[in-house]
Structures are given as structure tokens and as C-alpha cells.
């Protein structure tokens, strides 16, 4: 990569696939700690072009010198050399002048486990959530998970950010992983209820809301999640919904109520 003030240009070190050696594959501009630009990748798929320049939002990792990005090719196409979920990681040059692989190898995106760096990324995501910078927060939470995939609160935080962006499918994916790590956390089921409500899957939404309250969910139902409004206004579920939300509100002031370990300091849906 070459740098011209705040601008960055990257070239392929070796040829391969659809791109010849020394072709320009990365171009962007630094905005603080974020690189905004585009990344050219090779595509696979019956009706896909051989290569495409995709929008890039990459984040510098001060702990390890990496540059982490997430790219999304068009529907029906897959990008070669890109990790699961669209993860691309650029590593700093090693002491012998060689660069580490730009992308983690199969089975999926994994950086070297680093709980301290994972917590730092999680904290940055928390701050971005307070600033309502949902997309940037998603990137930090995904980075935190790549550095420590056993932290269920990072998965819950990622799901919250995806719900704020109104991406319920992505939120459910993160919540399923969080539930595998912490089956007794009520906020996971509450967020699942929000996500399934937004998708119109009201029976699943009600099942998860009932599970959340049964596990001791303690929340003030105002402001109400946009998705849950569908559940609350449906004639089939209205009475039960009101009863459950009242129980959750009562739990807030219950003498033996305990704050959820996963509750973050930014808005929840």
C-alpha cells in the first residue's frame, strides 16, 4: 500500500484469479481511524462479472496494526478470498518484508484470539452506539467477536446494532449465537422477540417474549420497539402481550431484581 497524505492506494502483490499482479485493488481515504473507499474483488457465480469494486469501510486496529473491513458482493455472487460474512483483514508487513494473508482461511473469519483487543473493540462499539453510528458500531462488534467469539455480550451488542439499522435477519443470526453461549439471559430472548416481530413472525415473537419474561426480564416498555408494536396490536396476542410487558415493568422495581449482565449503556430496541 502507498500513502499520499490521507489517501491510500493498494496493489495486488501477486497475480491470481481475475486480477493481474500489481493491479490496483484498494483505494480510499482516511477519516480519522476509518478508511472509506473501495476494494476490487474477483467474483464467482453464473451471471456475475469477473470482478467488481465494492464499497469499503475499514477500521484500523491499534492493538495489532490490522485493517478490518466487511464487503458485500451483489446477490447471487460470492467474492473469492473473502471470509465468512464478508470479512477481509489486512495485516501489517512482517519483519522479513512479507505480508500476512489478507483474509483468514476456512472455516470462517478468525483473528488470533485476543480478549483484551476484543474488549477494546467492544468498548468502541458501545461508544459508537451512544453516538447512533450504527454501521460503524456493527464493524467494531464484528471485530470484537472475531477476536473473542465466546463473549455473548458482543453478540447481543451486534444484534442490537443490527436492529437499530432495521436488519432483523442479521440480528437473529447474532442472537442465535448469543443464546448458544448464554441460554439464561432474558435480553437475548427479548431482542429475538423484537426481530421476529419485525419480520411478521408473530408466533415466534410471542414465544421468545414469554421466555424472556419467564427468565426475569426487567425493562421499562417505553419507548416500545417498532417491531413489538405489531405483536401488541395483533388481536390474537394483544392481551397476553400487555400482561407480559406489565410483568417485565414490575420486575424493574422488584426488591430482588438484578440488572441483566448483558445490558449495555446505549438504547435498546
Amino acid at each position: 500500500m502507498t500513502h499520499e497524505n490521507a489517501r491510500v492506494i493498494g496493489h495486488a502483490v501477486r497475480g491470481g484469479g481475475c486480477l493481474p499482479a500489481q493491479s490496483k485493488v484498494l483505494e480510499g481515504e482516511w477519516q480519522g481511524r476509518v478508511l472509506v473507499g473501495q476494494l476490487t474483488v474477483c467474483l464467482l457465480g453464473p451471471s456475475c462479472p469477473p470482478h467488481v469494486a465494492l464499497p469499503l469501510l475499514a477500521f484500523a486496529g491499534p492493538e495489532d496494526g490490522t485493517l478490518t473491513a466487511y464487503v458485500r458482493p451483489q446477490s447471487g455472487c460470492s467474492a473469492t478470498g473473502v471470509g465468512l460474512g464478508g470479512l477481509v483483514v489486512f495485516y501489517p508487513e512482517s519483519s522479513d518484508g512479507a505480508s500476512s494473508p489478507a483474509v483468514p482461511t476456512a472455516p470462517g473469519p478468525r483473528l488470533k484470539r485476543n480478549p483484551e483487543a476484543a474488549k477494546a473493540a467492544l468498548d468502541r462499539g458501545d461508544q459508537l452506539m451512544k453516538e447512533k453510528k450504527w454501521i460503524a458500531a456493527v464493524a467494531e462488534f464484528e471485530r470484537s467477536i472475531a477476536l473473542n467469539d465466546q463473549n455473548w455480550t458482543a453478540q447481543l451488542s451486534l444484534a442490537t446494532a443490527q436492529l437499530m439499522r432495521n436488519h432483523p435477519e442479521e440480528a437473529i443470526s447474532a442472537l442465535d449465537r448469543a443464546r448458544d453461549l448464554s441460554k439464561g439471559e432474558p435480553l437475548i430472548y427479548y431482542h429475538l422477540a423484537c426481530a421476529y416481530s419485525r419480520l411478521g413472525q408473530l408466533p415466534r415473537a410471542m414465544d421468545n417474549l414469554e421466555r424472556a419474561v419467564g427468565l426475569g426480564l426487567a425493562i421499562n416498555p417505553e419507548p416500545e420497539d417498532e417491531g413489538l408494536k405489531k405483536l401488541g396490536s395483533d388481536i390474537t396476542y394483544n392481551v397476553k402481550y400487555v400482561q407480559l410487558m406489565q410483568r417485565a415493568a414490575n420486575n424493574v422495581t422488584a426488591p430482588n431484581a438484578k440488572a441483566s449482565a448483558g445490558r449495555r449503556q446505549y438504547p435498546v430496541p
Side-chain angles (χ1 to χ4, degrees):
M1 281 190 266
T2 59
H3 300 260
E4 298 176 4
N5 297 325
R7 193 160 188 78
V8 176
I9 299 175
H11 295 83
V13 177
R14 296 177 295 274
C18 67
L19 299 170
Q22 300 306 314
S23 57
K24 184 167 67 175
V25 295
L26 174 67
E27 187 172 10
E29 186 171 302
W30 285 109
Q31 296 182 11
R33 204 173 55 81
V34 179
L35 181 67
V36 180
Q38 60 182 24
L39 176 69
T40 300
V41 296
C42 299
L43 295 181
L44 297 175
S47 59
C48 303
H51 56 80
V52 66
L54 298 174
L56 178 76
L57 192 67
F59 293 80
E63 302 86 5
D64 53 13
T66 57
L67 187 63
T68 305
Y70 296 86
V71 296
R72 297 289 187 270
Q74 63 203 63
S75 178
C77 301
S78 60
T80 60
V82 173
L84 183 66
L87 177 68
V88 180
V89 181
F90 298 93
Y91 292 88
E93 197 171 62
S94 63
S95 57
D96 60 2
S99 296
S100 301
V103 184
T105 55
R110 290 292 183 272
L111 302 179
K112 183 178 180 181
R113 183 177 173 81
N114 188 331
E116 293 77 15
K119 183 181 184 304
L122 182 59
D123 290 343
R124 290 194 296 269
D126 288 346
Q127 182 58 43
L128 289 165
M129 286 288 282
K130 293 176 183 177
E131 298 170 9
K132 299 185 179 181
K133 297 177 180 177
W134 315 130
I135 296 176
V138 164
E140 290 291 359
F141 293 142
E142 288 184 324
R143 179 179 177 79
S144 178
I145 292 164
L147 289 162
N148 179 12
D149 61 2
Q150 296 304 301
N151 187 349
W152 66 267
T153 60
Q155 300 281 5
L156 177 60
S157 297
L158 173 60
T160 303
Q162 295 289 22
L163 283 173
M164 292 298 184
R165 298 176 61 213
N166 199 27
H167 287 200
E169 295 91 347
E170 288 87 343
I172 289 170
S173 179
L175 290 165
D176 285 343
R177 295 191 295 270
R179 183 183 55 198
D180 289 342
L181 295 169
S182 181
K183 297 187 186 304
E185 171 52 50
L187 276 182
I188 295 173
Y189 298 94
Y190 170 75
H191 283 68
L192 279 168
C194 295
Y196 280 120
S197 292
R198 294 189 188 197
L199 292 173
Q201 299 181 30
L202 300 188
R204 299 187 75 171
M206 178 55 74
D207 287 345
N208 279 283
L209 183 60
E210 188 170 17
R211 180 71 183 275
V213 174
L215 288 169
L217 178 70
I219 62 168
N220 189 328
E222 298 293 342
E224 195 174 276
D225 175 71
E226 286 299 318
L228 284 184
K229 287 181 180 179
K230 295 181 181 179
L231 188 63
S233 61
D234 188 277
I235 190 171
T236 304
Y237 301 105
N238 176 262
V239 173
K240 189 174 184 179
Y241 171 83
V242 171
Q243 291 173 344
L244 288 173
M245 295 305 285
Q246 186 57 56
R247 283 175 56 191
N250 291 341
N251 286 340
V252 174
T253 56
N256 60 344
K258 294 183 179 179
S260 165
R263 187 168 302 163
R264 317 300 294 170
Q265 297 303 311
Y266 43 71
V268 295

